[in-house]
């Protein structure tokens, strides 16, 4: 797209939902958010470009960990792992923080 896309993640972004967020330019998460690629628990390939997107956003080590284990991480850990660009302040939703960032 010719303009930046910001994802706001307030709750679970699991599987395909996280793939959509990984395709965005910036990801803002709340502390309550849960992110993970749980396909592997079912014996399925992640799909939707997850193997490329996670590695390009957060690096190979994080991609290997999440895509091989199916771990689900919190919003705070997602920021530490570079899956998310920004953690919404306490009490604020990620949508509010994303709208402030977009303004």
């Amino acid at each position: 797209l010719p303009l930046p896309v910001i994802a706001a993640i307030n709750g679970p972004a699991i599987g395909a939902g996280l793939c959509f967020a990984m395709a965005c330019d910036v990801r803002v998460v709340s502390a309550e958010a849960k992110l993970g690629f749980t396909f592997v628990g079912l014996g399925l390939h992640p799909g939707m470009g997850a193997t490329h997107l996670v590695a390009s956003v957060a690096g190979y080590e994080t991609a290997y960990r999440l895509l091989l284990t199916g771990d689900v991480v919190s919003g705070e850990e997602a920021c530490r792992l570079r899956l998310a660009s920004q953690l919404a302040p306490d009490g604020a939703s990620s949508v509010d923080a994303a709208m402030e960032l977009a303004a």
Side-chain angles (χ1 to χ4, degrees), residues 71-95:
D71 285 352
V72 175
V73 298
S74 68
E76 290 179 17
E77 187 173 2
C79 283
R80 283 194 305 273
L81 294 173
R82 296 182 319 165
L83 289 172
S85 311
Q86 181 178 334
L87 183 65
D90 288 341
S93 78
S94 61
V95 175

Side-chain angles (χ1 to χ4, degrees), residues 8-101:
I9 305 169
N10 275 328
I14 304 294
L18 186 49
C19 286
F20 281 119
M22 289 290 105
C24 294
D25 300 301
V26 177
R27 284 154 301 286
V28 179
V29 295
S30 67
E32 295 81 29
K34 301 291 181 205
L35 293 80
F37 297 96
T38 57
F39 304 96
V40 296
L42 301 171
L44 299 173
H45 181 274
M48 290 189 65
T51 52
H52 169 75
L53 291 169
V54 180
S56 67
V57 168
Y60 286 105
E61 184 176 347
T62 298
Y64 289 146
R65 174 188 164 198
L66 295 177
L67 296 171
L68 295 175
T69 65
D71 285 352
V72 175
V73 298
S74 68
E76 290 179 17
E77 187 173 2
C79 283
R80 283 194 305 273
L81 294 173
R82 296 182 319 165
L83 289 172
S85 311
Q86 181 178 334
L87 183 65
D90 288 341
S93 78
S94 61
V95 175
D96 295 337
M99 293 298 287
E100 185 177 314
L101 180 65

